[in-house]
Amino acid sequence: MAERSRSAKRIAIIPGDGIGKEVIPEAVKVLKAAAAAGGRELALTEFDWGADRYLRDGTTLPADAPEMFRRDFDAILLGALGDPRVPGNQHGSDILIGLRFKLDLYVNARPCELFDRRLTPLKDRTEKDINFIVFRENTEGLYSGVGGFFKKGTADEIATQEDINTRKGVERIIRYAFEFARGRGLKRVCMSDKSNALAFGHDLWQRVFTEVRREYTEIESSHMYIDNLLMQMMRDPSQFQVIVTCNLFGDIASDLGAGLIGGLGLAPSGNIHPGEVSLFEPVHGSAPDIAGKNIANPMGAVLAAGMMCAYLGWTAEAQNIEKAVRAAIREGKTTADIGGPLGTRQVGDWLANRVASS
Ligand code: NAD
Ligand code: IPM
Ligand code: MN
């Protein structure tokens, strides 16, 4: 283990599509600067998976990719996948959901921390009011791909999409949320489901939550139905510290969370299997509406690289990156989505310089 931590970190870089190809080079720039400042070594390998490659030769996620990542890499940094030329997002599902499932990255950690009160659309809210993390179950639920068509394309068509909830899957994400809270000295965990309507799968969430919470008596645990949770997140986000929920609800809640802190341009995430190769990415997608214009905010991708450093044990580098982002916001060195005058590359340059000189 000691040997491993001394050696270079082997990072797979998947820029993907649209603004992924613009924000990831900036995140890599900042990551390299942080590594250099800390005297750390990086071994980066880029993969050209995305819509262009898929349309050219049909490649999505090669069959041996999960094994390769487990064997040869410490972490993966991904931009986004999605392209209007691929309406069903086949390549995106194969690559992104494929990696989440095949690497068993069961924790999708999506922090929502307000870095500057000027960035929230909520009236009279300040930094102390918005600082929570959404733990999204990331390996099952409605994303399992179980279902199908019957009589497709006819007037009698039937389409099913099964919501898969396993005892193991539900328990490990709920337990992770409580362990995270305990480890950080946080006081509140809120589990959100729709057990009032989804009588089987979410009944399981209820029962597991009731059982697991008993082991964490120092933590105030609560439950909210997802519809109420989203309303409460907006009405009074200060009541939340840790939110844990299923795959689809976590997807939705984390976009709302991003909206509370200044938008998707700022939100990072980690797809994690503790102790194993894990994948870090901004929460946003490929944003075809702004792609290719050098206006996308690279900070979500940069902060995702920071989360990756923290995961790899590069604590000082992670802090260096986050401090640089906070400074850029404070000094207005940002893209237009959060009010600044700079382009994607200029923000990346500024952050890399800041990180290098700290
Ligand atoms: P999106 O996140 O790409 O964009 C939503 C809105 O936020 C757009 O108005 C966009 O311009 C803005 N936005 C997003 N990121 C931004 C940034 N960094 N800076 C400034 N503005 C930003 O979501 P969408 O439009 O629903 O999806 C577009 C494509 O991306 C679709 O193909 C979708 O499937 C895919 N997608 C991929 C991922 C992923 O790979 N992780 C995540 C979400 C969506
Ligand atoms: C996300 C995205 C993906 C998801 C899509 C692109 C499949 O929205 O990472 O939040 O729904 O998980
Ligand atoms: Mn999403």
Side-chain angles (χ1 to χ4, degrees):
M1 264 329 264
E3 186 53 43
R4 187 182 165 116
S5 65
R6 267 200 303 277
S7 58
K9 294 295 180 199
R10 304 155 307 166
I11 313 296
I13 308 288
I14 309 174
D17 299 325
I19 63 167
K21 289 197 272 201
E22 298 174 68
V23 297
I24 289 300
E26 302 316 312
V28 168
K29 207 187 268 176
V30 178
L31 177 65
K32 281 180 174 169
R40 305 277 201 178
E41 241 185 283
L42 280 169
L44 306 179
T45 310
E46 187 163 324
F47 294 85
D48 68 350
W49 303 337
D52 287 343
R53 177 78 190 272
Y54 172 63
L55 292 169
R56 197 164 68 236
D57 67 10
T59 299
T60 60
L61 184 70
D64 62 351
E67 183 47 36
M68 173 197 64
F69 286 131
R70 277 204 196 88
R71 188 184 58 231
D72 298 335
F73 289 90
D74 296 304
I76 305 165
L77 182 64
L78 183 141
L81 293 155
D83 187 296
R85 295 169 297 166
V86 189
N89 201 27
Q90 181 65 45
H91 69 299
S93 299
D94 282 7
I95 297 167
L96 183 58
I97 299 177
L99 285 173
R100 288 175 182 167
F101 280 51
K102 290 176 180 164
L103 295 175
D104 200 28
L105 307 174
Y106 68 90
V107 179
N108 194 328
R110 299 189 153 184
C112 300
E113 182 176 357
L114 181 62
F115 284 173
D116 190 308
R117 65 191 63 183
R118 292 170 300 174
L119 298 181
T120 184
L122 299 184
K123 184 157 58 76
D124 300 332
R125 292 290 171 186
T126 67
E127 296 79 3
K128 69 173 177 11
D129 295 315
I130 312 180
N131 187 4
F132 60 87
I133 185 162
V134 176
F135 287 117
R136 163 186 180 186
E137 200 294 318
N138 212 30
T139 48
E140 48 186 60
L142 274 160
Y143 282 68
S144 301
V146 178
F149 300 110
F150 183 53
K151 300 185 183 177
K152 190 176 180 187
T154 74
D156 295 325
E157 177 163 351
I158 297 172
T160 63
Q161 193 88 49
E162 297 291 325
D163 184 17
I164 307 296
N165 297 271
T166 69
R167 167 75 206 200
K168 173 181 157 190
V170 173
E171 181 172 343
R172 64 185 180 174
I173 189 67
I174 290 177
R175 198 170 279 288
Y176 189 92
F178 277 106
E179 284 295 321
F180 178 90
R182 178 174 278 172
R184 302 285 170 112
L186 299 173
K187 292 189 209 68
R188 294 191 292 280
V189 172
C190 178
M191 190 277 276
S192 187
D193 63 23
K194 190 68 186 168
S195 49
N196 51 350
L198 308 180
F200 310 119
H202 287 204
D203 181 71
L204 178 61
W205 278 78
Q206 280 289 317
R207 283 182 284 119
V208 173
F209 184 61
T210 303
E211 215 176 289
V212 173
R213 73 197 291 186
R214 288 199 200 106
E215 296 172 36
Y216 300 87
T217 48
E218 83 279 17
I219 292 166
E220 199 185 298
S221 53
S222 62
H223 167 261
M224 277 182 196
Y225 296 121
I226 185 64
D227 41 358
N228 183 35
L229 176 90
L230 298 179
M231 188 278 290
Q232 294 291 348
M233 277 172 65
M234 192 184 58
R235 195 190 63 80
D236 179 16
S238 72
Q239 65 190 295
F240 300 109
Q241 290 181 327
V242 175
I243 293 169
V244 59
T245 189
C246 65
N247 207 337
L248 180 63
F249 296 169
D251 177 48
I252 298 166
S254 55
D255 263 37
L256 175 55
L260 301 179
I261 60 163
L264 278 166
L266 275 170
S269 73
N271 301 261
I272 295 167
H273 186 120
E276 305 280 336
V277 61
S278 293
L279 185 157
F280 298 82
E281 54 170 342
V283 172
H284 65 71
S286 57
D289 55 338
I290 59 165
K293 299 179 178 161
N294 192 41
I295 58 175
N297 188 343
M299 288 175 167
V302 168
L303 290 167
M307 281 179 81
M308 182 175 76
C309 289
Y311 180 73
L312 294 173
W314 290 11
T315 312
E317 289 72 15
Q319 285 168 353
N320 193 357
I321 291 174
E322 188 182 307
K323 270 170 61 187
V325 170
R326 286 177 184 275
I329 292 171
R330 208 168 44 238
E331 296 178 30
K333 306 296 181 192
T334 69
T335 44
D337 57 309
I338 54 170
L342 302 185
T344 310
R345 285 188 293 276
Q346 289 66 42
V347 171
D349 289 342
W350 194 93
L351 292 171
N353 277 329
R354 182 74 175 213
V355 157
S357 64
S358 76

